Amino acid sequence: MRLATWNVNSIRSRLDRVADWLDRQDIDVLALQETKCRDDQFPFERFDELGYEVAHLGINQWNGVAIASRVGLADVEFAFPDQPGFDKDAGESLISTPVVESRAIGATCGGVRVWSLYVPNGRTLTDPHYAYKLEWLAALRDNGARWLAEDPQAKIALVGDWNIAPTDDDVWSVEYFADKTHTSKPERDAFQAVVDAGYADVMRPFAPGPGVYTYWDYTQLRFPRKEGMRIDFILASPALAATVTDGMVDREARKGKGASDHAPVIAEFADGPEPS
């Protein structure tokens, strides 16, 4: 199985690019984030023509997540249990009846439980969205641990835009990101908690060291200057991680007019564990 994740920053604006890329890369399952459309606006027909079933969750022009699969699409969930929400009018604190945003969708594809995740940005270290982000990640970690406790052999992929650079190697400038979101200790600890719950970053062994980024801001020529961040990940459960055979960031997909500010991340999995 070739599994990919891509924050496309509007599927309607980049549909042709995504369709061409799917064909070139021979992708079996694609998790999308920031589709930025309602369910009735998603281009299901185009994906159907390409041979993909799609599950999409989009409430308005913000956020939006989807899973496109040509190896089956079953048991779709439109949020993980106890997924926190946020109310834009909450002021300085979360409220008891927040709106659950379109940030998580799960489906079983070819025997793998795939979750397409768009983790809240956090905005600033003092913004209510920062507390929301940490609460959201804690709930994801709790669910991830529970899923493995219920079935240690489950093949689970937690993929998407995590809005966290877990190490200093994952940003172009440590000094630039000091006292900003994405690199703060609580965020990094929250990411590590998901890893510690049993989920491995399966791409890292194939692209070690600094300079491997998945996101480059549109401003200040960040992409040509190679000033990026690694914030998009495929985290796999032990049973799935044992079958990984390759991983990469497709930096070429970030090039050219009309590109998303993120590049796709791809992992390839065999049918079973590699022989010892």
Side-chain angles (χ1 to χ4, degrees), residues 6 17 21 24-25 213 216 223 248-257 259-260 262-264 266:
W6 195 359
R17 292 182 68 105
W21 182 84
R24 290 197 312 273
Q25 288 291 352
Y213 304 133
W216 301 260
F223 183 66
M248 65 170 290
V249 176
D250 188 357
R251 192 176 183 276
E252 293 297 310
R254 176 62 175 81
K255 295 180 179 180
K257 184 178 180 181
S260 170
H262 292 251
I266 307 170

Side-chain angles (χ1 to χ4, degrees), residues 173-231:
S173 169
V174 174
E175 292 74 23
Y176 177 84
F177 287 101
D179 301 318
K180 292 182 173 68
T181 58
H182 293 60
T183 62
S184 71
K185 187 176 187 301
E187 290 167 287
R188 287 179 167 179
D189 287 349
F191 183 91
Q192 186 61 42
V194 178
V195 173
D196 291 343
Y199 296 87
D201 173 5
V202 296
M203 197 209 74
R204 174 60 94 185
F206 300 96
V212 179
Y213 304 133
T214 65
Y215 166 82
W216 301 260
D217 195 287
Y218 286 129
T219 64
Q220 301 184 39
L221 299 174
R222 293 291 188 213
F223 183 66
R225 292 167 61 177
K226 300 181 180 179
E227 295 177 349
M229 307 175 72
R230 192 169 84 103
I231 59 176

Side-chain angles (χ1 to χ4, degrees), residues 261-274:
D261 45 5
H262 292 251
V265 178
I266 307 170
E268 188 159 353
F269 301 94
D271 291 336
E274 293 295 303

Side-chain angles (χ1 to χ4, degrees), residues 3 7 34-35 44 107 137 196 220 236 255-257 261 272:
L3 168 65
N7 179 323
E34 273 205 283
T35 58
F44 289 100
L137 286 162
D196 291 343
Q220 301 184 39
K255 295 180 179 180
K257 184 178 180 181
D261 45 5

Side-chain angles (χ1 to χ4, degrees), residues 89 120 188 199 233 240 243:
D89 300 316
R188 287 179 167 179
Y199 296 87
F233 298 92
L240 182 60
T243 71

Side-chain angles (χ1 to χ4, degrees), residues 20 29 36 46 48 82 105 110 118 134 189-190 209 242 249-250 253 256 258:
D20 291 344
V29 181
K36 291 186 175 180
R46 183 68 176 277
D48 183 64
D82 300 318
I105 188 169
Y118 180 40
L134 297 178
D189 287 349
V249 176
D250 188 357

